Amino acid sequence: MATNEDQNQTESGRHQEVGHKSLLQSDALYQYILETSVFPREHEAMKELREVTAKHPWNIMTTSADEGQFLSMLLKLINAKNTMEIGVYTGYSLLATALAIPEDGKILAMDINKENYELGLPVIKKAGVDHKIDFREGPALPVLDEMIKDEKNHGSYDFIFVDADKDNYLNYHKRLIDLVKVGGVIGYDNTLWNGSVVAPPDAPLRKYVRYYRDFVLELNKALAVDPRIEICMLPVGDGITICRRIK
Ligand code: SAM
Ligand code: CA
């Protein structure tokens, strides 16, 4: 049985911050992963982009280095070539994707904010992968609606990463399920939503965490019963649900 002291020690090694980049049991364990397998192999440009992003006031939004490595591995495993990203910010996951897909690979990247993308763009250009990116400034939903109208876009995406407005994820899913090919993958990010998906109703949550929580809960329920996909919810970063279209 754990003594009080054990419990204190466990607590003291535990990260408390909302929006911390890991759901692991201790900071030390997360640090171990980063230092052993992620940072030593991180592409120079990814490291530079991480440093640029760290200086930005909204840096909490960036994809973590371990998740970037995971995305890169996944894209290579499935031989992704035609891809889409909703929610770019300064472009860390975008750069991971651009580096992982082949020379003639494509990324349709959408964000309502172009300024942040432009902050990371010089690093992406220096890495020599900007020719793969088609950036569209503005809300993603109308773009998807336009794309859906053309049959030739149906089943045309190998991989889609969704990391934007959580209150629209289900709206995105309704469209993306037609745009991704059978056997292709959609990744929904932040599906454990700072761990708040299991927080009691009276838990002291930050305003934005509380606001989006119900949308994330609703999405998770819907994905779990959707017969068109197989799913796998991974505790990487803030939780990512990998959906493989099966019909
Ligand atoms: N994937 C990014 C990275 O690796 O740094 C992080 C994306 S950040 C968590 C969420 C982004 O979604 C923000 O840059 C925000 O401007 C964008 N966003 C919010 N609402 C959007 C919408 N309706 N359409 C497209 N992008 C949106
Ligand atoms: Ca995210």
PDB file of all heavy atoms in Angstrom, residues 21 60-64 67 93 161-164 166 169 189-190 193 238-239, ligand 2:
ATOM      1  N   LYS A  21       2.520  18.969 -22.361  1.00  0.00           N
ATOM      2  CA  LYS A  21       2.579  18.230 -23.616  1.00  0.00           C
ATOM      3  C   LYS A  21       2.528  16.716 -23.448  1.00  0.00           C
ATOM      4  O   LYS A  21       2.772  15.978 -24.381  1.00  0.00           O
ATOM      5  CB  LYS A  21       3.837  18.644 -24.385  1.00  0.00           C
ATOM      6  CG  LYS A  21       3.713  20.019 -24.989  1.00  0.00           C
ATOM      7  CD  LYS A  21       2.624  20.060 -26.026  1.00  0.00           C
ATOM      8  CE  LYS A  21       2.288  21.471 -26.421  1.00  0.00           C
ATOM      9  NZ  LYS A  21       1.075  21.518 -27.216  1.00  0.00           N
ATOM     10  N   ILE A  60       1.700  27.239 -26.692  1.00  0.00           N
ATOM     11  CA  ILE A  60       1.048  26.053 -26.122  1.00  0.00           C
ATOM     12  C   ILE A  60       0.312  25.240 -27.209  1.00  0.00           C
ATOM     13  O   ILE A  60       0.071  24.042 -27.061  1.00  0.00           O
ATOM     14  CB  ILE A  60       0.097  26.463 -24.970  1.00  0.00           C
ATOM     15  CG1 ILE A  60      -0.277  25.231 -24.144  1.00  0.00           C
ATOM     16  CG2 ILE A  60      -1.145  27.173 -25.483  1.00  0.00           C
ATOM     17  CD1 ILE A  60      -0.859  25.536 -22.796  1.00  0.00           C
ATOM     18  N   MET A  61       0.022  25.925 -28.345  1.00  0.00           N
ATOM     19  CA  MET A  61      -0.752  25.262 -29.417  1.00  0.00           C
ATOM     20  C   MET A  61       0.091  24.315 -30.269  1.00  0.00           C
ATOM     21  O   MET A  61      -0.441  23.488 -31.003  1.00  0.00           O
ATOM     22  CB  MET A  61      -1.365  26.300 -30.357  1.00  0.00           C
ATOM     23  CG  MET A  61      -2.427  27.148 -29.715  1.00  0.00           C
ATOM     24  SD  MET A  61      -3.641  27.747 -30.899  1.00  0.00           S
ATOM     25  CE  MET A  61      -2.653  28.684 -32.044  1.00  0.00           C
ATOM     26  N   THR A  62       1.405  24.456 -30.213  1.00  0.00           N
ATOM     27  CA  THR A  62       2.229  23.687 -31.142  1.00  0.00           C
ATOM     28  C   THR A  62       2.172  22.178 -30.877  1.00  0.00           C
ATOM     29  O   THR A  62       1.919  21.745 -29.750  1.00  0.00           O
ATOM     30  CB  THR A  62       3.705  24.176 -31.095  1.00  0.00           C
ATOM     31  OG1 THR A  62       4.425  23.587 -32.179  1.00  0.00           O
ATOM     32  CG2 THR A  62       4.383  23.789 -29.797  1.00  0.00           C
ATOM     33  N   THR A  63       2.407  21.421 -31.922  1.00  0.00           N
ATOM     34  CA  THR A  63       2.531  19.970 -31.784  1.00  0.00           C
ATOM     35  C   THR A  63       3.855  19.690 -31.077  1.00  0.00           C
ATOM     36  O   THR A  63       4.861  20.335 -31.358  1.00  0.00           O
ATOM     37  CB  THR A  63       2.534  19.329 -33.196  1.00  0.00           C
ATOM     38  OG1 THR A  63       1.287  19.613 -33.815  1.00  0.00           O
ATOM     39  CG2 THR A  63       2.746  17.831 -33.144  1.00  0.00           C
ATOM     40  N   SER A  64       3.855  18.721 -30.160  1.00  0.00           N
ATOM     41  CA  SER A  64       5.085  18.414 -29.431  1.00  0.00           C
ATOM     42  C   SER A  64       6.036  17.601 -30.318  1.00  0.00           C
ATOM     43  O   SER A  64       5.624  16.990 -31.310  1.00  0.00           O
ATOM     44  CB  SER A  64       4.739  17.639 -28.161  1.00  0.00           C
ATOM     45  OG  SER A  64       4.081  16.437 -28.495  1.00  0.00           O
ATOM     46  N   GLU A  67       5.158  13.934 -30.753  1.00  0.00           N
ATOM     47  CA  GLU A  67       4.032  13.728 -31.664  1.00  0.00           C
ATOM     48  C   GLU A  67       4.467  13.960 -33.110  1.00  0.00           C
ATOM     49  O   GLU A  67       4.024  13.265 -34.022  1.00  0.00           O
ATOM     50  CB  GLU A  67       2.849  14.634 -31.296  1.00  0.00           C
ATOM     51  CG  GLU A  67       1.631  14.320 -32.159  1.00  0.00           C
ATOM     52  CD  GLU A  67       0.356  15.015 -31.715  1.00  0.00           C
ATOM     53  OE1 GLU A  67       0.378  15.766 -30.739  1.00  0.00           O
ATOM     54  OE2 GLU A  67      -0.671  14.781 -32.373  1.00  0.00           O
ATOM     55  N   SER A  93       3.697  20.484 -37.227  1.00  0.00           N
ATOM     56  CA  SER A  93       3.190  19.213 -37.783  1.00  0.00           C
ATOM     57  C   SER A  93       3.213  19.250 -39.308  1.00  0.00           C
ATOM     58  O   SER A  93       3.409  18.229 -39.970  1.00  0.00           O
ATOM     59  CB  SER A  93       1.778  18.909 -37.265  1.00  0.00           C
ATOM     60  OG  SER A  93       0.893  19.985 -37.518  1.00  0.00           O
ATOM     61  N   PHE A 161      -4.720  15.359 -41.199  1.00  0.00           N
ATOM     62  CA  PHE A 161      -4.479  15.659 -39.790  1.00  0.00           C
ATOM     63  C   PHE A 161      -5.369  16.831 -39.385  1.00  0.00           C
ATOM     64  O   PHE A 161      -5.313  17.903 -39.992  1.00  0.00           O
ATOM     65  CB  PHE A 161      -2.996  16.013 -39.582  1.00  0.00           C
ATOM     66  CG  PHE A 161      -2.613  16.275 -38.153  1.00  0.00           C
ATOM     67  CD1 PHE A 161      -2.875  15.348 -37.148  1.00  0.00           C
ATOM     68  CD2 PHE A 161      -1.959  17.456 -37.791  1.00  0.00           C
ATOM     69  CE1 PHE A 161      -2.511  15.577 -35.820  1.00  0.00           C
ATOM     70  CE2 PHE A 161      -1.583  17.697 -36.467  1.00  0.00           C
ATOM     71  CZ  PHE A 161      -1.855  16.761 -35.486  1.00  0.00           C
ATOM     72  N   VAL A 162      -6.194  16.624 -38.369  1.00  0.00           N
ATOM     73  CA  VAL A 162      -7.120  17.661 -37.916  1.00  0.00           C
ATOM     74  C   VAL A 162      -6.673  18.169 -36.548  1.00  0.00           C
ATOM     75  O   VAL A 162      -6.662  17.417 -35.562  1.00  0.00           O
ATOM     76  CB  VAL A 162      -8.572  17.128 -37.843  1.00  0.00           C
ATOM     77  CG1 VAL A 162      -9.528  18.250 -37.447  1.00  0.00           C
ATOM     78  CG2 VAL A 162      -8.984  16.521 -39.169  1.00  0.00           C
ATOM     79  N   ASP A 163      -6.298  19.448 -36.510  1.00  0.00           N
ATOM     80  CA  ASP A 163      -5.772  20.023 -35.267  1.00  0.00           C
ATOM     81  C   ASP A 163      -6.216  21.486 -35.188  1.00  0.00           C
ATOM     82  O   ASP A 163      -5.401  22.396 -35.111  1.00  0.00           O
ATOM     83  CB  ASP A 163      -4.232  19.907 -35.287  1.00  0.00           C
ATOM     84  CG  ASP A 163      -3.610  20.275 -33.951  1.00  0.00           C
ATOM     85  OD1 ASP A 163      -4.342  20.353 -32.947  1.00  0.00           O
ATOM     86  OD2 ASP A 163      -2.383  20.484 -33.915  1.00  0.00           O
ATOM     87  N   ALA A 164      -7.522  21.704 -35.245  1.00  0.00           N
ATOM     88  CA  ALA A 164      -8.027  23.085 -35.273  1.00  0.00           C
ATOM     89  C   ALA A 164      -9.173  23.256 -34.272  1.00  0.00           C
ATOM     90  O   ALA A 164      -9.067  22.781 -33.139  1.00  0.00           O
ATOM     91  CB  ALA A 164      -8.457  23.442 -36.688  1.00  0.00           C
ATOM     92  N   LYS A 166     -12.001  22.622 -32.148  1.00  0.00           N
ATOM     93  CA  LYS A 166     -12.552  21.338 -31.663  1.00  0.00           C
ATOM     94  C   LYS A 166     -14.074  21.269 -31.809  1.00  0.00           C
ATOM     95  O   LYS A 166     -14.643  20.181 -31.901  1.00  0.00           O
ATOM     96  CB  LYS A 166     -12.184  21.085 -30.193  1.00  0.00           C
ATOM     97  CG  LYS A 166     -10.755  21.415 -29.815  1.00  0.00           C
ATOM     98  CD  LYS A 166      -9.733  20.636 -30.593  1.00  0.00           C
ATOM     99  CE  LYS A 166      -8.340  21.209 -30.388  1.00  0.00           C
ATOM    100  NZ  LYS A 166      -7.412  20.942 -31.492  1.00  0.00           N
ATOM    101  N   TYR A 169     -14.974  19.506 -35.151  1.00  0.00           N
ATOM    102  CA  TYR A 169     -14.401  18.213 -35.547  1.00  0.00           C
ATOM    103  C   TYR A 169     -15.448  17.279 -36.156  1.00  0.00           C
ATOM    104  O   TYR A 169     -15.178  16.597 -37.138  1.00  0.00           O
ATOM    105  CB  TYR A 169     -13.727  17.515 -34.360  1.00  0.00           C
ATOM    106  CG  TYR A 169     -12.286  17.924 -34.111  1.00  0.00           C
ATOM    107  CD1 TYR A 169     -11.805  19.176 -34.483  1.00  0.00           C
ATOM    108  CD2 TYR A 169     -11.393  17.055 -33.485  1.00  0.00           C
ATOM    109  CE1 TYR A 169     -10.488  19.540 -34.237  1.00  0.00           C
ATOM    110  CE2 TYR A 169     -10.072  17.406 -33.250  1.00  0.00           C
ATOM    111  CZ  TYR A 169      -9.632  18.651 -33.620  1.00  0.00           C
ATOM    112  OH  TYR A 169      -8.329  19.001 -33.386  1.00  0.00           O
ATOM    113  N   ASP A 189      -6.597  15.373 -33.469  1.00  0.00           N
ATOM    114  CA  ASP A 189      -5.686  15.680 -32.372  1.00  0.00           C
ATOM    115  C   ASP A 189      -6.408  16.253 -31.153  1.00  0.00           C
ATOM    116  O   ASP A 189      -7.494  16.814 -31.267  1.00  0.00           O
ATOM    117  CB  ASP A 189      -4.618  16.666 -32.854  1.00  0.00           C
ATOM    118  CG  ASP A 189      -3.373  16.589 -31.987  1.00  0.00           C
ATOM    119  OD1 ASP A 189      -3.046  15.490 -31.491  1.00  0.00           O
ATOM    120  OD2 ASP A 189      -2.712  17.622 -31.796  1.00  0.00           O
ATOM    121  N   ASN A 190      -5.793  16.075 -30.007  1.00  0.00           N
ATOM    122  CA  ASN A 190      -6.272  16.587 -28.710  1.00  0.00           C
ATOM    123  C   ASN A 190      -7.540  15.889 -28.234  1.00  0.00           C
ATOM    124  O   ASN A 190      -8.386  16.516 -27.588  1.00  0.00           O
ATOM    125  CB  ASN A 190      -6.491  18.107 -28.773  1.00  0.00           C
ATOM    126  CG  ASN A 190      -5.243  18.860 -29.166  1.00  0.00           C
ATOM    127  OD1 ASN A 190      -5.021  19.087 -30.355  1.00  0.00           O
ATOM    128  ND2 ASN A 190      -4.430  19.217 -28.218  1.00  0.00           N
ATOM    129  N   TRP A 193      -7.977  15.941 -24.563  1.00  0.00           N
ATOM    130  CA  TRP A 193      -8.250  17.324 -24.142  1.00  0.00           C
ATOM    131  C   TRP A 193      -7.742  17.662 -22.733  1.00  0.00           C
ATOM    132  O   TRP A 193      -8.529  17.874 -21.821  1.00  0.00           O
ATOM    133  CB  TRP A 193      -9.735  17.623 -24.312  1.00  0.00           C
ATOM    134  CG  TRP A 193     -10.047  19.089 -24.386  1.00  0.00           C
ATOM    135  CD1 TRP A 193     -11.022  19.737 -23.682  1.00  0.00           C
ATOM    136  CD2 TRP A 193      -9.387  20.089 -25.180  1.00  0.00           C
ATOM    137  NE1 TRP A 193     -10.997  21.082 -23.982  1.00  0.00           N
ATOM    138  CE2 TRP A 193      -9.996  21.324 -24.912  1.00  0.00           C
ATOM    139  CE3 TRP A 193      -8.318  20.074 -26.086  1.00  0.00           C
ATOM    140  CZ2 TRP A 193      -9.597  22.514 -25.505  1.00  0.00           C
ATOM    141  CZ3 TRP A 193      -7.909  21.262 -26.686  1.00  0.00           C
ATOM    142  CH2 TRP A 193      -8.563  22.454 -26.388  1.00  0.00           C
ATOM    143  N   ASP A 238      -1.498  15.328 -26.600  1.00  0.00           N
ATOM    144  CA  ASP A 238      -2.732  15.547 -25.847  1.00  0.00           C
ATOM    145  C   ASP A 238      -3.787  14.522 -26.263  1.00  0.00           C
ATOM    146  O   ASP A 238      -4.976  14.735 -26.077  1.00  0.00           O
ATOM    147  CB  ASP A 238      -3.200  16.982 -26.113  1.00  0.00           C
ATOM    148  CG  ASP A 238      -4.357  17.393 -25.229  1.00  0.00           C
ATOM    149  OD1 ASP A 238      -4.489  16.849 -24.115  1.00  0.00           O
ATOM    150  OD2 ASP A 238      -5.144  18.248 -25.665  1.00  0.00           O
ATOM    151  N   GLY A 239      -3.313  13.420 -26.807  1.00  0.00           N
ATOM    152  CA  GLY A 239      -4.229  12.384 -27.284  1.00  0.00           C
ATOM    153  C   GLY A 239      -4.508  12.569 -28.763  1.00  0.00           C
ATOM    154  O   GLY A 239      -4.867  13.664 -29.199  1.00  0.00           O
TER     155      GLY A 239
HETATM  156 CA    CA B   2      -2.886  19.750 -31.210  1.00  0.00          CA
END
